[in-house]
Amino acid sequence: MAFHTETTAPNDTANIADTVAAVRAGFDSGLTRPVSWRLDQLRGLSAMLRTESDRFEAALASDLGKPSIEGYAADIATVASEIDDIAKHLPKWMKPRRVKVPLTVQPGRAYVLPQPLGVTLIIAPWNYPVQLLLLPAAVSIAAGNACVLKPSEVAPATSALLAELLPRFTDSKAIATVEGGVDTSTELLEQRFDYIFYTGSTAVGRIVHQAASRHLTPCTLELGGKSPVLVDDSANLEVAARRIAWGKWLNAGQTCVAPDYVLISATHRDRFVELLERSFAEFADGTDTRTNPDFTSIVNERHTERLRGLLANHNGTVAFGGDSDVADRWVEPTIIIDPDPDSPVMQEEIFGPILPIITVDSLADAISFVTDRPHPLALYVFAEHDDTIEHVIDHTSAGGTCINHVIQHLLPSDLPFGGVGESGFGRYHGRAGFDTFSNLRAVLKKPTRIDPKLVYPPYTEKKSKLIRRFL
Ligand code: NAD
């Protein structure tokens, strides 16, 4: 299988200010405001994904060694159908939203009017390089904004394809794609935008937030971190093991909401590990995952080395897997029982097919383990008892939660997606995304036919008494 090496894509920083200025001129001309323009762009994005899906699958395979069906499902089909859904609901979302007017302000009419923010910058990572660029772009366009899109240089074939196709399917007067690496992102962040939407690591999220603060630009940070899984004693262990193993297998664990580690009691741990091993073995179907076309590669040698480092230094017991090869960008699905909580595998986001299993004494213990650490992007609970599920949700914080499965809470477009605390802030998907990229302008309209003198100075004793009684 051919892989691109990690490169810095074309990086013409001199043109960045011009590109942003051109897109701003497009926005200022009023081009992006009519619903017809917005719908045309959304239809263009959807058509691009559908008609060029073979080329997108090939680019994803080249960048990540993604199985074609995983690339198609996560980066093409679900993205196109969410874009279609946005287009379907857009006319309703754009309407003014009436709100109640209190007696003291009547007569009058009040409403929230969603208006575009202006020029938005969207910076995407490499792990789902189409989805994580185009879904925020779609809601930004739906909200009537102009966009500058910056795909990840770590997925160079996909970045180049997006840069080639976007101008053919969308209006380049208000939608520009800028390819490049850190220098390009840094230069982009020097410009003034009206909104910045960043997806990627927490470390870079801090840099983006600082840069945004220079122009007081609002932003969304879609970050990562360690997403824990609590497997309660009441859980259906067989289903839990299969679903958690799938969450680690998918994209070789390189998913922001991949299950990072599992907390389980000693009573069920060994049986659960056995079931996990069986699930991984079933997925591999008797083949070596190094060459299995259904198993994604690690994105590059640097990340493979990083994962080898996690495997080398944890003081736990490897129950399954443990092998890796830097040249092949391969790390075997691996289960580690009770690694040292201070070791890198329990301190850093794993972002690879390694699954630590932590033995806990009780549900309370599991909850403390989670709450002693930064708020995760996702928290998973496997349990059959509703009171246990509610107890976990009530006593923890997380960007999102999926009960008795992993990752799938991203799919319903009406569930706002985002982090909390160190896993980020801001929400998108569906209408939450439209609202994120809108200025929800507050408007109160008063008629002039009635204008009682009561509320104006001079505040006589009689008027004051009446006002006090009224309020
Ligand atoms: P990455 O290396 O592709 O970086 C993301 C983007 O940031 C790229 O476009 C890159 O050019 C830019 N960038 C990198 N360094 C920069 C710098 N110093 N200044 C400005 N811009 C810079 O991706 P990554 O960060 O390796 O992505 C993996 C991380 O992203 C993981 O932590 C993962 O959990 C997180 N993630 C979060 C989500 C989410 O939706 N919350 C989704 C996917 C990934």
Side-chain angles (χ1 to χ4, degrees):
M1 192 171 293
F3 288 98
H4 278 263
T5 50
E6 187 174 352
T7 56
T8 299
N11 179 6
D12 192 355
T13 52
N15 282 333
I16 284 176
D18 293 347
T19 303
V20 178
V23 164
R24 187 168 288 286
F27 177 78
D28 289 344
S29 73
L31 173 75
T32 64
R33 288 178 181 256
V35 66
S36 54
W37 184 88
R38 305 184 197 190
L39 289 172
D40 282 350
Q41 309 317 306
L42 294 172
R43 288 184 194 122
L45 289 177
S46 179
M48 175 181 83
L49 289 167
R50 291 181 203 282
T51 55
E52 304 287 343
S53 69
D54 289 352
R55 293 183 72 195
F56 276 109
E57 277 179 45
L60 291 164
S62 165
D63 286 333
L64 288 144
K66 267 200 205 221
S68 140
I69 187 62
E70 278 189 19
Y72 178 75
D75 266 302
I76 301 166
T78 49
V79 183
S81 84
E82 184 154 344
I83 292 171
D84 294 345
D85 214 46
I86 293 167
K88 189 172 122 200
H89 291 106
L90 181 59
K92 195 171 79 204
W93 293 346
M94 286 173 67
K95 283 197 177 132
R97 304 168 195 172
R98 279 286 285 274
V99 299
K100 273 195 194 148
V101 177
L103 202 62
T104 45
V105 187
Q106 282 183 14
R109 235 162 46 87
Y111 53 93
V112 174
L113 185 66
Q115 287 196 316
L117 289 165
V119 181
T120 62
L121 171 64
I122 295 164
I123 303 180
W126 51 265
N127 60 334
Y128 293 91
V130 179
Q131 179 189 142
L132 297 173
L133 188 76
L134 295 191
L135 281 188
V139 272
S140 175
I141 291 164
N145 298 297
C147 312
V148 175
L149 309 178
K150 161 61 184 74
S152 175
E153 73 281 14
V154 184
T158 312
S159 172
L161 185 61
L162 286 161
E164 177 203 323
L165 294 178
L166 279 163
R168 274 181 36 206
F169 285 87
T170 59
D171 186 347
S172 13
K173 288 200 276 304
I175 301 169
T177 309
V178 176
E179 281 194 276
V182 177
D183 289 353
T184 304
S185 296
T186 308
E187 183 66 21
L188 276 167
L189 290 168
E190 290 289 320
Q191 315 303 313
R192 185 176 69 78
F193 288 94
D194 300 295
Y195 202 86
I196 298 175
F197 191 102
Y198 169 79
T199 306
S201 66
T202 304
V204 176
R206 286 183 213 283
I207 296 172
V208 171
H209 199 208
Q210 247 178 4
S213 74
R214 279 201 295 275
H215 296 292
L216 272 187
T217 304
C219 56
T220 287
L221 298 181
E222 294 283 348
L223 310 177
K226 294 180 86 64
S227 294
V229 189
L230 274 65
V231 178
D232 182 53
D233 285 348
S234 68
N236 178 332
L237 284 192
E238 195 171 331
V239 171
R242 192 177 310 117
R243 291 179 178 180
I244 295 164
W246 169 79
K248 271 293 183 193
W249 178 283
L250 182 75
N251 216 26
Q254 301 166 108
T255 303
C256 55
V257 285
D260 193 276
Y261 62 92
V262 172
L263 298 155
I264 189 165
S265 74
T267 327
H268 291 102
R269 189 195 66 195
D270 293 348
R271 170 83 186 124
F272 178 70
V273 169
E274 247 176 66
L275 290 165
L276 273 176
E277 290 178 20
R278 199 209 286 170
S279 298
F280 280 131
E282 276 172 13
F283 297 164
D285 199 19
T287 65
D288 184 348
T289 51
R290 187 194 302 243
T291 50
N292 184 327
D294 288 349
F295 188 61
T296 305
S297 306
I298 304 305
V299 66
N300 55 34
E301 293 187 1
R302 181 170 61 83
H303 276 281
T304 317
E305 287 285 12
R306 178 184 64 78
L307 291 165
R308 275 163 73 90
L310 302 185
L311 288 173
N313 170 26
H314 54 71
N315 281 330
T317 307
V318 174
F320 184 81
D323 211 353
S324 61
D325 187 309
V326 173
D328 279 351
R329 294 171 190 160
W330 169 69
V331 173
E332 192 178 13
T334 300
I335 302 169
I336 306 173
I337 299 177
D338 287 333
D340 180 347
D342 293 326
S343 64
V345 79
M346 286 310 296
Q347 291 292 318
E348 296 167 17
E349 176 181 1
I350 295 172
F351 223 55
I354 303 169
L355 184 63
I357 310 289
I358 310 291
T359 318
V360 287
D361 289 335
S362 61
L363 187 66
D365 237 27
I367 289 174
S368 314
F369 196 95
V370 171
T371 53
D372 284 351
R373 290 163 174 73
H375 297 326
L377 185 58
L379 181 144
Y380 301 113
V381 195
F382 285 81
E384 291 300 314
H385 296 153
D386 284 347
D387 50 353
T388 306
I389 295 165
E390 275 167 33
H391 183 82
V392 172
I393 292 178
D394 282 353
H395 290 82
T396 55
S397 181
T401 280
C402 186
I403 297 149
N404 289 325
H405 215 313
V406 295
I407 302 176
Q408 306 231 336
H409 61 298
L410 264 69
L411 298 177
S413 54
D414 287 340
L415 277 183
F417 175 68
V420 56
E422 284 200 24
S423 53
F425 51 80
R427 289 283 186 277
Y428 77 126
H429 287 196
R431 174 158 153 185
F434 176 84
D435 285 357
T436 287
F437 280 102
S438 295
N439 170 28
L440 297 177
R441 185 165 176 172
V443 182
L444 174 70
K445 189 175 179 196
K446 298 275 292 174
T448 52
R449 62 181 191 279
I450 311 167
D451 196 29
K453 296 246 165 59
L454 173 71
V455 294
Y456 299 111
Y459 301 122
T460 60
E461 203 174 321
K462 194 174 156 203
K463 276 189 190 176
S464 299
K465 263 192 192 154
L466 268 168
I467 291 171
R468 281 178 195 280
R469 193 174 309 156
F470 195 55
L471 290 178

